[in-house]
Amino acid sequence: MKLTRKPGALPMPLWLQGVFELGQAAVLSAVLVLVPVVVVWLTGGFAERSLESAAQLAGQGWLVLHGVPLVLSPEASSGLFHVVPLALILLPFLLAWRAGRRLARASYTDQLWQALLGGLGVYAAAGLATAYFASNAEAAASLPAGALIPPLSVGLGMVIGAHREAGAWSRLVGVDFASWISRSSQHSRWAGSYALSVLRSAFLAVVAAVGLSALLLAVTVGIHWAEIAAIFQRLDAGITGAAMLTILQLGFVPNLVLWALSWSSGAGFALGSGSSLSPFVSSVGPLPAFPVLGALPAGELEYGYAALALPFVAGLLAGWWFFREGENHFDEWLLLQSSRRWLTAAASTLVMGLLVGGTAGLGGAALALLSRASLGLGRLTDLGPDPLLVGLLIAAEVGVGAIAGYALSPLLERESRRPASRQAAL
């Protein structure tokens, strides 16, 4: 994992390499925000702003890009602007992922923490300085939030990138988990394999549910494309404004996908205080002229309840995956305790459904919480789903689907093996 160096060359300290790599990431992500703001300012979009005010706006955009909340009109404390643009936050994440791979190649085993510490330190300093510089009478960021929140996404990107380069956690932290597990008891290894299978199945369920929700969103946008285009035309933002608006909407596509996931679970989501959108009925008030909102369903939906099948289908896939993993050691343990196969099979399948559904529900609740937003203006302080309700409904629907998928898996496997056995006979 350590790069070779020329004889006589002084190696750069790991903490300094981390500072250099994440310093680059901070500068590049700032440039990606600053360039559009400067373009709009030069074309007269911010005619009333000075260059310093436009730079402060870019700093506020950099903070919002990393999920830092802003207090609007801090002197009057009018509201909290908080939103995490899940597509745009990928920009610093990918830059940090690249930095993590480079630092892993330059680090000895179990010394990566030095590079991580240096890199996260400089990124925290950049966030602190940006929060101080960008605060004005229009919006302000808390200095602790500016220092602590931006390193979260880049730290995750660095760790994932470093692991991708190293290929194993043991090369990063100096602990060989495989040998540690091999020294544990057989029951511990079985329990670990069972827990890992549950996690994988729940992860598959969440990914499948999100993918199906993305397909649902794409179909909805296609059906209501005329309404979206009409809102674009009424705005008449010009070439530059339309380009910026399109980029902004693309940045929130993952948030909209997660709102579609909440909608398909039956929990629905809110677009302002007192509003509610669910598969059964939609009730919303006045909304900002954001073109993609033209795809929202309105009124009672005759077949809206069919969307509840999406988390159930995701659970079916999870149950099938769990069966194919062949790591249902809890069922094997129950079989040793009782000879009543009908009882042990039902109990193990029920427990598997509860565990997979509960884990998927936790993942769904976390995603729903991450997708929530507040514009801090009037009634638009409650945007997005209720994480607790989303988690409970996804847990129930995925759990039932996992039980059904596991119960049907022997039939599916038998059908998939039948053509192969026929070919072998021929």
Side-chain angles (χ1 to χ4, degrees):
M1 191 166 64
K2 179 69 175 178
L3 289 175
T4 60
R5 60 184 177 89
K6 296 180 179 180
L10 293 176
M12 182 184 295
L14 286 177
W15 67 268
L16 186 57
Q17 293 186 51
V19 168
F20 180 75
E21 292 291 344
L22 270 202
Q24 279 186 323
V27 171
L28 289 175
S29 60
V31 169
L32 292 174
V33 177
L34 183 62
V35 168
V37 173
V38 171
V39 169
V40 174
W41 182 77
L42 291 176
T43 55
F46 300 137
E48 74 284 357
R49 289 183 178 271
S50 63
L51 182 59
E52 179 183 359
S53 177
Q56 288 180 328
L57 180 62
Q60 293 167 7
W62 187 87
L63 293 172
V64 171
L65 175 70
H66 290 80
V68 178
L70 300 178
V71 178
L72 302 180
S73 301
E75 295 180 357
S77 299
S78 62
L80 187 68
F81 181 92
H82 180 231
V83 60
V84 181
L86 295 177
L88 297 179
I89 204 173
L90 286 176
L91 299 175
F93 175 86
L94 293 176
L95 291 172
W97 180 80
R98 172 182 174 273
R101 296 195 63 175
R102 290 168 60 89
L103 292 173
R105 288 196 297 265
S107 303
Y108 287 111
T109 299
D110 74 6
Q111 289 186 346
L112 183 64
W113 65 270
Q114 301 177 24
L116 291 176
L117 190 61
L120 294 179
V122 72
Y123 217 89
L128 179 66
T130 304
Y132 177 79
F133 166 77
S135 297
N136 53 29
E138 298 176 348
S142 168
L143 295 183
L148 297 177
I149 295 180
L152 294 179
S153 57
V154 296
L156 181 62
M158 285 184 69
V159 171
I160 294 177
H163 178 264
R164 176 68 177 83
E165 181 65 27
W169 291 111
S170 59
R171 297 183 63 187
L172 298 180
V173 298
V175 177
D176 190 351
F177 292 102
S179 63
W180 176 73
I181 293 174
S182 65
R183 293 193 299 268
S184 61
S185 65
Q186 183 64 47
H187 289 86
S188 299
R189 292 197 294 272
W190 283 342
S193 299
Y194 182 82
L196 186 59
S197 296
V198 168
L199 290 176
R200 287 177 174 173
S201 300
F203 179 76
L204 173 64
V206 173
V207 171
V210 171
L212 292 172
S213 301
L215 179 61
L216 175 64
L217 177 64
V219 171
T220 304
V221 170
I223 293 174
H224 296 88
W225 184 252
E227 291 88 340
I228 296 174
I231 297 176
F232 254 115
Q233 293 177 355
R234 287 199 299 268
L235 287 176
D236 193 19
I239 297 177
T240 304
M244 296 299 103
L245 183 59
T246 301
I247 293 174
L248 184 62
Q249 290 185 110
L250 292 176
F252 287 99
V253 166
N255 300 66
L256 299 177
V257 169
L258 296 181
W259 290 7
L261 172 64
S262 172
W263 187 86
S264 65
S265 71
F269 59 92
L271 283 176
S273 302
S275 68
S276 175
L277 290 94
S278 72
F280 311 105
V281 65
S282 298
S283 174
V284 296
L287 296 174
F290 204 55
V292 73
L293 296 182
L296 292 175
E300 295 186 6
L301 303 176
E302 184 177 359
Y303 299 105
Y305 60 87
L308 300 178
L310 299 185
F312 177 78
V313 171
L316 283 175
L317 295 175
W320 187 21
W321 175 278
F322 190 88
F323 179 84
R324 291 179 62 89
E325 281 275 271
E327 298 288 350
N328 195 354
H329 300 297
F330 181 69
D331 180 66
E332 298 170 359
W333 180 81
L334 288 178
L335 191 58
L336 295 176
Q337 310 302 315
S338 174
S339 58
R340 297 183 178 88
R341 183 55 185 153
W342 63 270
L343 178 61
T344 59
S348 64
T349 304
L350 179 61
V351 170
M352 181 276 303
L354 291 174
L355 292 176
V356 171
T359 307
L362 291 176
L367 293 176
L369 179 62
L370 193 62
S371 70
R372 284 184 57 81
S374 171
L375 299 186
L377 299 172
R379 54 185 293 272
L380 299 179
T381 56
D382 182 19
L383 302 175
D386 180 0
L388 179 59
L389 183 58
V390 171
L392 291 175
L393 291 178
I394 288 182
E397 293 160 3
V398 169
V400 172
I403 292 174
Y406 188 85
L408 295 175
S409 292
L411 300 177
L412 297 175
E413 292 297 310
R414 189 178 306 152
E415 291 296 329
S416 63
R417 289 170 183 165
R418 185 172 297 172
S421 62
R422 289 178 179 175
Q423 292 179 3
L426 293 176

